[in-house]
Amino acid sequence: MSDYFDRLTSQADNEQTTEEPQQTSKAPDEADQQRPLTEADHYTPANVKATAQELLKYGLLEADRKPNLYQVAITQTAAINQILEPLDLLLKVDEVRGLAFLVVSEQLFTEGEEKDNEWSHPLVRRQRLTMEQSLLVAILRQHFIAHEQEAGLGTGEATVELDELLPQLQLYLGDTGSDTRDQKRLRSLLDNLKNHGVVSDIDANDQVIIRPIITHLANPDNLQNLLHHFRRVAGQSAPEEADGEDL
């Protein structure tokens, strides 16, 4: 026969048994709250990381050349821009032409300062085109726009033959008197522009492919500045014909 002390001890054991599961169930949650964040908690998805790295390496992505990375760029634009923001870079997308490219963020420039007079990005070196290179870019853009008007925006590759470019270049730069020198000058200019992603290599048929980035490189503002430059040059060499000069 159990006495009062046995009943009291049995009651205490039962209460402890019922409380223990509640204590063990809370322990993992408290441990998670106190656990320091690890690298895995901030891991960037592999496809986003690869796309950001490709953009930082080349500055642009074309849908027809890197379709998988381009698809990531247009669907994960916010995530990529979050990676680029500390670098003062911004991803822009031209879906019509299948183009994703980097630009310097507007926040880099302080208020009241002109972009043309201020350039201090630590990762991007501003490379100015020469007058001859700028002129060829304008000519190439004209061919690219003509291709888009005929074939449609973002349709096919805009290919141009060197024999089509040479007379237009000679019109503005003059004829050296040697076909060989003129060809060499044109090829040298195209080779320089290839480094800017504007054109492809010259193929076996003496043709180049004009890249869609040219529509953003040779935008209306840049073309207008080029036009003003040529008018100033024309005014210095022949003042009486300055008003009639055009690009």
Side-chain angles (χ1 to χ4, degrees):
M1 180 177 180
S2 61
D3 57 14
Y4 176 76
F5 179 77
D6 292 334
R7 292 196 301 272
L8 184 61
T9 304
S10 176
Q11 182 180 1
D13 292 340
N14 291 336
E15 291 177 354
Q16 182 178 3
T17 303
T18 56
E19 290 176 358
E20 284 179 353
Q22 297 177 359
Q23 294 175 355
T24 56
S25 63
K26 291 181 180 179
D29 293 337
E30 294 174 356
D32 287 343
Q33 293 176 0
Q34 297 176 359
R35 179 176 60 86
L37 296 177
T38 64
E39 183 179 353
D41 295 316
H42 299 281
Y43 184 76
T44 303
N47 58 349
V48 174
K49 183 184 294 185
T51 303
Q53 291 173 348
E54 187 78 7
L55 286 165
L56 288 171
K57 184 176 182 180
Y58 296 106
L60 57 83
L61 285 169
E62 294 181 18
D64 59 344
R65 303 177 74 184
K66 299 279 186 176
N68 294 335
L69 295 181
Y70 173 77
Q71 190 64 28
V72 175
I74 65 175
T75 57
Q76 300 291 331
T77 303
I80 294 174
N81 275 330
Q82 188 173 5
I83 297 173
L84 298 173
E85 193 278 333
L87 306 178
D88 282 322
L89 297 173
L90 183 69
L91 173 63
K92 286 195 173 183
V93 177
D94 183 348
E95 292 193 47
V96 175
R97 297 182 174 91
L99 181 67
F101 58 100
L102 295 183
V103 298
V104 176
S105 174
E106 294 288 339
Q107 296 179 358
L108 179 66
F109 306 100
T110 58
E111 294 183 1
E113 290 180 336
E114 294 292 337
K115 296 179 185 178
D116 291 339
N117 297 329
E118 181 68 19
W119 188 265
S120 59
H121 196 285
L123 300 178
V124 182
R125 183 179 65 180
R126 189 171 192 173
Q127 296 180 339
R128 294 184 180 275
L129 299 179
T130 66
M131 184 190 71
E132 293 182 352
Q133 291 170 348
S134 299
L135 175 61
L136 184 54
V137 166
I139 294 172
L140 289 168
R141 185 183 188 277
Q142 185 180 22
H143 282 275
F144 187 86
I145 296 301
H147 165 79
E148 287 191 329
Q149 291 175 342
E150 181 178 347
L153 294 178
T155 304
E157 295 181 336
T159 303
V160 61
E161 296 182 0
L162 268 61
D163 288 343
E164 295 181 65
L165 298 174
L166 192 57
Q168 292 178 281
L169 195 64
Q170 290 172 329
L171 178 64
Y172 295 101
L173 299 182
D175 190 339
T176 64
S178 170
D179 292 341
T180 302
R181 283 199 297 267
D182 288 341
Q183 280 279 349
K184 184 178 180 180
R185 178 175 61 183
L186 174 58
R187 288 175 179 272
S188 177
L189 291 173
L190 289 170
D191 188 58
N192 289 328
L193 293 182
K194 182 190 68 175
N195 297 329
H196 293 276
V198 176
V199 294
S200 67
D201 287 314
I202 302 173
D203 64 18
N205 298 319
D206 286 343
Q207 296 177 330
V208 294
I209 298 172
I210 309 172
R211 301 295 183 194
I213 191 65
I214 196 170
T215 57
H216 299 278
L217 177 64
N219 57 45
D221 289 339
N222 290 340
L223 292 175
Q224 191 68 24
N225 291 335
L226 181 63
L227 176 60
H228 290 327
H229 174 76
F230 273 103
R231 282 178 171 168
R232 286 197 301 270
V233 172
Q236 293 172 1
S237 60
E240 67 278 7
E241 297 180 2
D243 293 336
E245 289 292 331
D246 203 349
L247 185 60

